[in-house]
Amino acid sequence: MNPQPRWQGIFPAITTKFHADESIDAEGTARHIDFQIRNGIHGLVTCGSLGEASTLSLEEKLQVAQIALEAADGRVPVLANVSETSTREALRYIDGANKLGVTGYMVMPSVIYVADAREAMANVRAMADAAQRPLMVYNNPVAYRVDLKPEHMLELADCQWIAAIKESTGDIRRITDLRNTVGNRYQLFLGVDDLAYEGLALGCDGLLAGVGCAFPRETVALYDLMKAGKFAEALPLYQWMTPMLHLDVSNKLVQNLKLIDALVGVGTEHMRRPRLPLVGEERAFVERVVGKALATRPKEYQSVA
């Protein structure tokens, strides 16, 4: 397997579909993945924050990976997100996912425990050694308070299995700092929905999309236009999407985006407690944002059900 694949484009962090009793809805998850692939996405990631990984057992995460592999049927790369609280559990998960045949992994340097850079890098190396498959390192100091900075990614450059970085600092200057420090050693993915235009303009190779789960073709169109240098044409599309993209940057991103799925008609709001569907003004606000987006949806880029 190539340790340095050319991952690029739109990789949605897929939502995990549940039944009303909180059991995994395999058919609904597979149907939603197929919808996204048919509308042009370039890859996908299972069981990230948006996929409610923290509420799933290891066996359930492997079940979702299997569902995704079968639904994708080789059409796009399937990456399993590894966000375990210990290296020991991460390696156990990787062992199971390797046996399923996932394409690669998106890995968290550390969750819950706020690791320093030495610890976080050692954790990434351990996962890479166990995986022997391409990795995308997910850097999100805003949510997880662990920050692998450009100089740390330069130090990790000798690890052949690290292929990409998902950068979610929220500071768009980090993209240029990474390029200036590590050059083209890694593919760079922007992980903050409402910085998508800015990230692509600065040379990101792709987006780890949230709202793209419900609007895949529109998100792919934004990527295609930006990569073609058609910035003026891309800007109105991005401006149309931005009110929805803001909903991804929230403590309630799962509730927000599952409500978007439901309003668009591509999923349900079922989720695992303690999360509950939005109510009151929170719900009304999302409904207004999505209602306006649907009423003004650009026909030339519209996703096909």
Side-chain angles (χ1 to χ4, degrees), residues 174-214:
R174 176 63 65 88
I175 299 304
T176 301
D177 290 341
L178 276 166
R179 281 291 187 222
N180 285 342
T181 302
V182 302
N184 293 317
R185 165 61 181 84
Y186 307 105
Q187 278 90 63
L188 300 185
F189 281 70
L190 205 286
V192 182
D193 266 24
D194 57 4
L195 287 175
Y197 184 98
E198 295 85 343
L200 291 170
L202 290 172
C204 280
D205 297 286
L207 305 175
L208 244 296
V211 173
C213 291

Side-chain angles (χ1 to χ4, degrees), residues 19-267:
H19 296 293
D21 66 359
E22 300 187 16
S23 62
I24 291 174
D25 178 359
E27 182 182 346
T29 301
R31 186 167 56 246
H32 196 202
I33 290 169
D34 181 66
F35 159 72
Q36 293 172 78
I37 294 173
R38 287 188 290 101
N39 280 284
I41 65 161
H42 305 92
L44 60 91
V45 180
T46 65
C47 298
S49 304
L50 184 55
E52 298 176 70
S54 62
T55 72
L56 298 170
S57 68
L58 183 145
E59 292 74 20
E60 288 175 322
K61 291 174 189 176
L62 293 174
Q63 180 187 350
V64 174
Q66 182 66 52
I67 293 165
L69 285 165
E70 292 175 0
D73 194 25
R75 290 176 289 173
V76 299
V78 174
L79 279 58
N81 175 65
V82 183
S83 55
E84 307 308 303
T85 57
S86 71
T87 305
R88 182 186 181 92
E89 280 300 292
L91 301 189
R92 205 159 70 89
Y93 178 26
I94 288 169
D95 179 63
N98 271 352
K99 290 172 180 172
L100 293 177
V102 298
T103 311
Y105 296 93
M106 184 172 78
V107 302
M108 300 293 302
S110 185
V111 293
I112 298 184
Y113 172 63
V114 182
D116 64 22
R118 177 178 66 94
E119 294 169 320
M121 287 190 290
N123 193 36
V124 169
R125 287 187 185 276
M127 289 186 282
D129 288 344
Q132 297 288 293
R133 297 182 189 213
L135 266 62
M136 178 185 296
V137 176
Y138 178 14
N139 192 53
N140 189 339
V142 176
Y144 301 106
R145 297 180 292 158
V146 177
D147 191 7
L148 289 182
K149 297 178 179 177
E151 59 266 30
H152 302 131
M153 295 311 303
L154 182 63
E155 190 172 338
L156 286 168
D158 65 310
C159 184
Q160 65 169 333
W161 294 106
I162 304 176
I165 303 167
K166 174 188 175 184
E167 186 54 65
S168 297
T169 62
D171 181 355
I172 199 63
R173 292 171 293 189
R174 176 63 65 88
I175 299 304
T176 301
D177 290 341
L178 276 166
R179 281 291 187 222
N180 285 342
T181 302
V182 302
N184 293 317
R185 165 61 181 84
Y186 307 105
Q187 278 90 63
L188 300 185
F189 281 70
L190 205 286
V192 182
D193 266 24
D194 57 4
L195 287 175
Y197 184 98
E198 295 85 343
L200 291 170
L202 290 172
C204 280
D205 297 286
L207 305 175
L208 244 296
V211 173
C213 291
F215 294 92
R217 190 175 176 205
E218 292 87 341
T219 310
V220 169
L222 176 67
Y223 169 80
D224 288 342
L225 290 168
M226 294 297 290
K227 284 301 173 182
K230 298 180 179 179
F231 303 134
E233 193 175 338
L235 186 57
L237 177 60
Y238 182 59
Q239 291 169 332
W240 167 78
M241 295 180 74
T242 294
M244 291 189 293
L245 300 180
H246 289 327
L247 299 173
D248 181 68
V249 188
S250 165
N251 186 51
K252 292 189 176 180
L253 80 161
V254 174
Q255 294 93 320
N256 289 341
L257 270 63
K258 281 200 163 178
L259 178 53
I260 292 176
D261 283 352
L263 293 170
V264 175
V266 296

